[in-house]
Amino acid sequence: MVINTWLLTVLDYFKFVGKRKPTSRFGVLPDLKLLVAILLTVTVGTIALHTFADPVFINWYATGNADKAGWFALTTDIGQSHWILLSTGSIILFMSVYNFPQLSSPHTIHWHHIFLKFYFIFTTIAFSGLLAIFLKNLIGRARPVLHDTFDVWLSLPFEGVYHYASFPSGHSTTVGALAAALIFVAPRIGYIFLPVAIWVAVSRVAVGAHFPSDVLAGLALGVLFSWIYARSFARKRLLFEFGDNGELKLRNLAAKRARRKIRKRSQALGDIGFGASGPRAANKA
């Protein structure tokens, strides 16, 4: 019964999204000149790192100085996607299953806004990760452990094994996508994660798991995917919206109004079924 109700709720949500008329002012893709400029910059940067930095790195890696037990090694797995998917997925599942019949209208708006934020982060990490896996298999670049000092590009497409899945870096894709997603959903504090993302990306080189060019490509892939994906939300006026010049903005006005109403009414968590406070408890007193 609970599962059926949950499935109906999920289906109703996607029906609601499907019926929303997309804005005709701007498309999912940004201005073509801007997009081409960004892609050219990333391409040139990746080629430059491959030409100049990767040979230096492979010579350094051959000396056996890769960080196997230091701070880079201890923190590099922050870039794994499973902890992000598990945490945000659990919150999404709870928010979609929990029954809140006495939730006020302002609370409902605020609840929905929070749900969309976690849903955006979860799907951003999941879809960018799948894209990175596809590119890894398509390109099949060998990891540094298989290289020598004379050749920094060995490729075996669709080998489907760890050692031939170096380009782009999956960890870097994840932290790049997460950093961009947090900046979009929490503009005031999201930038705090940028140093963490850069640290994790550098750590992939320091531990010898990736070439510098792999890391740059992964970071760029994550950020670009998150940006374009957020624009697909904005086109449906979900969570985001477009500014006058097509820039991406958090669609936060309704949620702000709801929060103001909630503060004015001073409703406690008991109003949505948590604890013993709120009107229900007051009626029993």
Side-chain angles (χ1 to χ4, degrees):
M1 183 66 180
V2 174
I3 295 177
N4 289 337
T5 303
W6 177 76
L7 287 174
L8 288 174
T9 302
V10 173
L11 289 174
D12 287 342
Y13 171 75
F14 284 107
K15 287 179 181 177
F16 163 74
V17 173
K19 290 179 180 178
R20 286 183 71 86
K21 185 178 180 180
T23 179
S24 57
R25 294 177 62 202
F26 304 101
V28 173
L29 293 177
D31 177 74
L32 183 59
K33 291 182 179 179
L34 175 61
L35 183 60
V36 170
I38 293 173
L39 291 176
L40 281 176
T41 301
V42 172
T43 301
V44 171
T46 303
I47 292 173
L49 285 181
H50 169 66
T51 304
F52 301 106
D54 287 1
V56 174
F57 163 78
I58 202 64
N59 279 301
W60 167 83
Y61 181 75
T63 64
N65 289 324
D67 186 351
K68 300 299 183 182
W71 282 106
F72 283 121
L74 291 173
T75 56
T76 191
D77 283 340
I78 293 174
Q80 288 191 349
S81 61
H82 67 270
W83 71 269
I84 308 168
L85 295 176
L86 200 59
S87 58
T88 55
S90 298
I91 293 171
I92 291 170
L93 184 61
F94 167 74
M95 295 186 76
S96 61
V97 169
Y98 181 70
N99 186 21
F100 43 93
Q102 69 276 32
L103 199 62
S104 65
S105 179
H107 273 115
T108 301
I109 294 172
H110 192 45
W111 184 278
H112 184 251
H113 191 71
I114 294 173
F115 174 84
L116 276 177
K117 285 186 175 182
F118 282 105
Y119 176 79
F120 172 72
I121 293 172
F122 176 86
T123 51
T124 296
I125 300 304
F127 294 152
S128 64
L130 289 173
L131 179 58
I133 290 172
F134 171 75
L135 292 175
K136 282 172 174 286
N137 283 277
L138 177 66
I139 297 169
R141 186 184 191 183
R143 292 183 184 269
V145 68
L146 298 181
H147 288 260
D148 56 34
T149 57
F150 303 104
D151 187 5
V152 292
W153 188 276
L154 298 173
S155 180
L156 195 59
F158 297 108
E159 180 65 15
V161 295
Y162 172 83
H163 285 110
Y164 287 93
S166 189
F167 186 94
S169 164
H171 285 60
S172 300
T173 300
T174 295
V175 292
L178 180 60
L182 291 175
I183 290 170
F184 292 145
V185 302
R188 293 183 179 179
I189 62 173
Y191 289 94
I192 295 174
F193 192 76
L194 274 178
V196 179
I198 294 172
W199 174 276
V200 172
V202 172
S203 76
R204 302 308 291 160
V205 177
V207 300
H210 286 284
F211 291 94
S213 56
D214 300 338
V215 166
L216 176 61
L219 278 174
L221 176 64
V223 172
L224 283 172
F225 181 90
S226 184
W227 180 37
I228 293 174
Y229 187 52
R231 290 181 65 87
S232 72
F233 274 62
R235 193 163 184 265
K236 285 277 190 175
R237 302 184 310 284
L238 290 169
L239 190 60
F240 305 106
E241 62 185 356
F242 293 118
D244 293 335
N245 298 316
E247 71 276 15
L248 198 63
K249 297 169 58 179
L250 186 63
R251 197 167 188 259
N252 207 23
L253 183 59
K256 284 182 177 178
R257 288 174 178 171
R259 284 195 293 270
R260 283 199 294 267
K261 289 181 180 179
I262 291 170
R263 284 195 294 266
K264 286 180 180 178
R265 295 178 184 180
S266 299
Q267 293 177 324
L269 286 175
D271 297 342
I272 55 174
F274 295 103
S277 58
R280 182 179 294 182
N283 291 335
K284 291 182 179 179

